[in-house]
Amino acid sequence: MRPGPRNLITDVAGLRVGNAHDTALRSGVTVLTAGRPFTAAVHVMGGAPGTRETDLLAPDKLVESVDALVLSGGSAFGLDAASGVMAGLRAMGRGFAVGPALVPIVPAAILFDLLNGGDKGWSENPYAGLGSAALAAAAEDFAIGSAGAGFGALTGNLKGGLGSASAVLDSGFTVGALVAVNALGSATVGETRHFWAAPWEIGDEFGGLGPAPRYPAQADPLPMKRMGEATTIAIVATDAALTKAQAHRLAVAAHDGMARALVPSHTPLDGDLVFAAATGARPLADPLTDPFQLGHAASACLARAIARAVFAATPHPGDRQPSWQNLS
């Protein structure tokens, strides 16, 4: 596989991503949307998730497609970002038709960034406004690193961030990943600058350092955050025509990429979650081989996107953790 032209999830034709963040708040929102509704599913492996409208993504539920997916900071407060996105979509005439009423379908997931040094003394929840702004900014090109939902993210040892990556398969399908990395675990090996995801790096997309020459002795990990303070939330997407059940399997497979890139991952203290999105532009040619390859590509893309998030994070005054680029 090779990266798409942008090496972003928007290499999946038709998808757009928008970011909005508040520097003083040290938090933000990222929205993925498209020109028309798309199939979506979700799989949660963390022990402390925060979500909205995820039950309807189950294969047996009525609604077959969604209008947008939201990744947000702010812990439970951040779920209100979906309200701003819904309002914006409704103004565009988008939504699930119930008689004359339109109800935009906007599942969301949040990460915890309330203790990162930002000004959280607001009297009115700011996340609906950030969601609205992120939707308005949605485009094929968008920033990664300290942007959107990853603006205030932290990992076990370094600043986190927003990451994305893509891959074009020999079969012609495109797969992409988008992730806000706020993990309890670490994206790098011990005290080195080498990423756990290095075996899946393409070119020098996150520094080109390759795997660590040898893994240093690792002490048994201890949690550096408390229950609910961590979470990595992600979206994997493809242009393949998938059912909700097939999209769910894509999300399940993508969690392998999270485990490859963050050590440890899927802990009781994280709310690790992966959405899957399928635009349906390309029918499956082989009902066994194509889903198999799509799942592998999704996991590889997510591992790369996680490393790119930490690699691209930039320092800001008052940071409580160093950024990767400050490591010697």
Side-chain angles (χ1 to χ4, degrees):
M1 66 184 75
R2 64 187 187 281
R6 299 178 186 84
N7 202 14
L8 298 172
I9 196 171
T10 47
D11 287 326
V12 176
L15 296 184
R16 304 189 304 275
V17 171
N19 289 325
H21 60 258
D22 183 311
T23 302
L25 185 66
R26 268 183 203 268
S27 187
V29 173
T30 296
V31 175
L32 180 139
T33 190
R36 61 185 180 87
F38 52 91
T39 300
V42 68
H43 186 60
V44 181
M45 287 194 69
T51 61
R52 169 172 165 162
E53 293 275 54
T54 51
D55 282 353
L56 61 79
L57 298 178
D60 63 328
K61 299 303 185 286
L62 172 66
V63 176
E64 289 292 332
S65 57
V66 307
D67 297 291
L69 296 169
V70 174
L71 307 179
S72 179
S75 189
F77 299 105
L79 293 174
D80 203 34
S83 297
V85 176
M86 287 183 69
L89 289 166
R90 184 172 181 269
M92 299 175 193
R94 296 281 301 274
F96 182 75
V98 184
L102 290 175
V103 183
I105 306 299
V106 184
I110 49 87
L111 56 81
F112 185 98
D113 57 7
L114 298 181
L115 302 180
N116 63 2
D119 179 6
K120 306 303 194 293
W122 36 268
S123 57
E124 182 177 341
N125 190 324
Y127 286 95
L130 287 169
S132 178
L135 177 66
E140 292 180 337
D141 292 305
F142 61 94
I144 64 171
S146 299
F151 185 79
L154 306 171
T155 73
N157 62 336
L158 295 171
K159 286 190 71 171
L162 186 75
S164 192
S166 70
V168 180
L169 284 63
D170 290 342
S171 59
F173 291 109
T174 299
V175 174
L178 177 70
V179 61
V181 182
N182 189 62
L184 181 145
S186 172
T188 52
V189 181
E191 300 300 318
T192 76
R193 302 177 79 232
H194 296 267
F195 287 97
W196 287 108
W200 290 273
E201 185 175 18
I202 299 178
D204 59 355
E205 62 186 342
F206 43 88
L209 299 180
R214 65 181 182 87
Y215 289 166
Q218 301 284 312
D220 292 339
L222 294 173
M224 302 301 292
K225 299 180 181 182
R226 293 170 294 182
M227 182 70 74
E229 289 185 13
T231 286
T232 297
I233 47 179
I235 304 169
V236 293
T238 179
D239 54 0
L242 301 180
T243 65
K244 288 171 74 174
Q246 289 170 323
H248 177 260
R249 292 307 310 175
L250 189 72
V252 171
H255 273 287
D256 288 353
M258 197 178 294
R260 294 168 184 171
L262 294 167
V263 178
S265 59
H266 305 140
T267 76
L269 310 184
D270 289 283
D272 295 344
L273 170 153
V274 177
F275 289 112
T279 66
R282 297 177 60 90
L284 297 179
D286 187 309
L288 294 178
T289 300
D290 287 340
F292 175 89
Q293 293 182 333
L294 290 170
H296 170 66
S299 63
C301 278
L302 183 51
R304 293 163 49 216
I306 288 169
R308 293 190 78 206
V310 175
F311 173 74
T314 52
H316 290 83
D319 280 349
R320 296 195 169 183
Q321 286 181 323
S323 58
W324 181 90
Q325 62 185 253
N326 292 141
L327 296 179
S328 58

